[in-house]
Amino acid sequence: MDSQSGEEAEHQGVIPDKRYFKIGEVCEIAGVKQHVLRYWESEFKQLIRPQRASSKQRLYRRVDVENILTIKKLLKEDGFTIPGAKKLFANRKRNTVKAGP
């Protein structure tokens, strides 16, 4: 398990009241490394869609951060595989569309 300072661990899972987050901030919130976040971004394209600043830096919206935290919970705590998590999200989306107006 990663060793973390108490302050860093204290901030995990708490999303500050901001519109956009840089990749370093999202990594601190989620408690994952940048390469993991970029990999999840490539695997969950429908759920994690950061915008790009003119400097080409990723800017994540609050909904992206919420989805990242959900993905982390599914993979790390609930024991889902990436294909299993994708399937779960696809089923949720399908059920939401069916239950719509």
Side-chain angles (χ1 to χ4, degrees):
M1 186 166 188
D2 291 342
S3 62
Q4 300 173 343
S5 68
E7 185 177 315
E8 185 179 322
E10 185 178 298
H11 293 299
Q12 284 185 13
V14 177
I15 305 173
D17 189 19
K18 293 172 58 172
R19 184 172 286 204
Y20 294 105
F21 302 86
K22 294 178 182 176
I23 192 168
E25 295 171 311
V26 177
C27 289
E28 187 176 316
I29 292 165
V32 296
K33 304 231 183 263
Q34 289 186 14
H35 69 274
V36 172
L37 191 55
R38 288 190 298 268
Y39 177 68
W40 288 353
E41 186 181 321
S42 71
E43 290 293 324
F44 297 94
K45 291 182 171 110
Q46 298 300 317
L47 298 171
I48 308 172
R49 295 186 306 221
Q51 297 179 358
R52 295 289 180 143
S54 56
S55 63
K56 304 288 187 206
Q57 188 171 29
R58 290 171 167 85
L59 295 176
Y60 295 87
R61 297 164 298 147
R62 183 175 199 82
V63 68
D64 294 321
V65 178
E66 290 168 354
N67 288 336
I68 289 163
L69 291 173
T70 301
I71 290 166
K72 179 185 177 189
K73 181 182 182 309
L74 290 172
L75 299 178
K76 305 288 186 183
E77 295 175 25
D78 298 344
F80 276 75
T81 61
I82 286 181
K86 284 181 179 180
K87 190 173 185 179
L88 180 72
F89 282 115
N91 288 339
R92 282 183 184 173
K93 184 176 181 180
R94 193 174 316 120
N95 290 339
T96 303
V97 171
K98 285 181 185 176

